[in-house]
Amino acid sequence: MTDDENQRAVQAAVHAELRLLDPEVRARPDLVLELLDPEFTEVGVSGRRWDATSILTVTSGGSVSAESPVEVSEMSGTVLAPGIVHLTYFADNQGRRAWRSSLWRLTETGWRVYYHQGTPAAGHD
């Protein structure tokens, strides 16, 4: 892949990650499912393990609202292999701060998150 192709892949994954954090998208399970790989798993900040079905209860439960969106900073991405992008970023969701890591893979239906992990970030400035 060329640098240009890598950059486009990272931008596509960043765009998809930010869509997943969008309160309007999260409120609609059909839109969330479009972004989740069928084999999706997440290890949350709490240490709980989620799959595509169980995470819908969280995303549609109003954990992110338009009045208090998740604040994202330090977003960066790397192409690990063609069609695989690793994103890392810092997220602050109403004072709940975490370092987040996502693996996105390109499928026939677009970019989908395959794995996500959150790690508590105490004392981040």
Side-chain angles (χ1 to χ4, degrees):
M1 291 180 72
T2 66
D3 286 347
D4 213 33
E5 289 170 325
N6 284 344
Q7 189 175 7
R8 280 198 301 276
V10 168
Q11 288 172 343
V14 166
H15 175 74
E17 185 82 37
L18 293 175
R19 282 198 69 215
L20 263 181
L21 293 171
D22 182 326
E24 291 182 19
V25 172
R26 292 172 77 88
R28 295 202 28 211
D30 59 320
L31 295 180
V32 173
L33 282 174
E34 287 177 7
L35 295 166
L36 299 182
D37 192 274
E39 298 176 33
F40 171 80
T41 56
E42 173 175 335
V43 176
V45 172
S46 66
R48 181 172 175 185
R49 187 178 169 96
W50 307 85
D51 62 16
T53 304
S54 62
I55 201 68
L56 289 177
T57 60
V58 174
T59 58
S60 62
S63 61
V64 174
S65 68
E67 295 76 39
S68 53
V70 175
E71 295 176 29
V72 173
S73 59
E74 300 181 52
M75 176 82 77
S76 67
T78 302
V79 173
L80 300 179
I84 305 287
V85 172
H86 179 222
L87 296 181
T88 58
Y89 60 97
F90 182 77
D92 186 334
N93 183 5
Q94 301 175 49
R96 294 189 310 273
R97 300 166 145 101
W99 286 105
R100 302 225 166 241
S101 175
S102 296
L103 285 175
W104 287 84
R105 69 179 174 182
L106 185 57
T107 69
E108 292 177 1
T109 57
W111 287 94
R112 291 178 172 241
V113 63
Y114 173 76
Y115 180 78
H116 182 81
Q117 183 161 350
T119 304
H124 181 269
D125 295 329

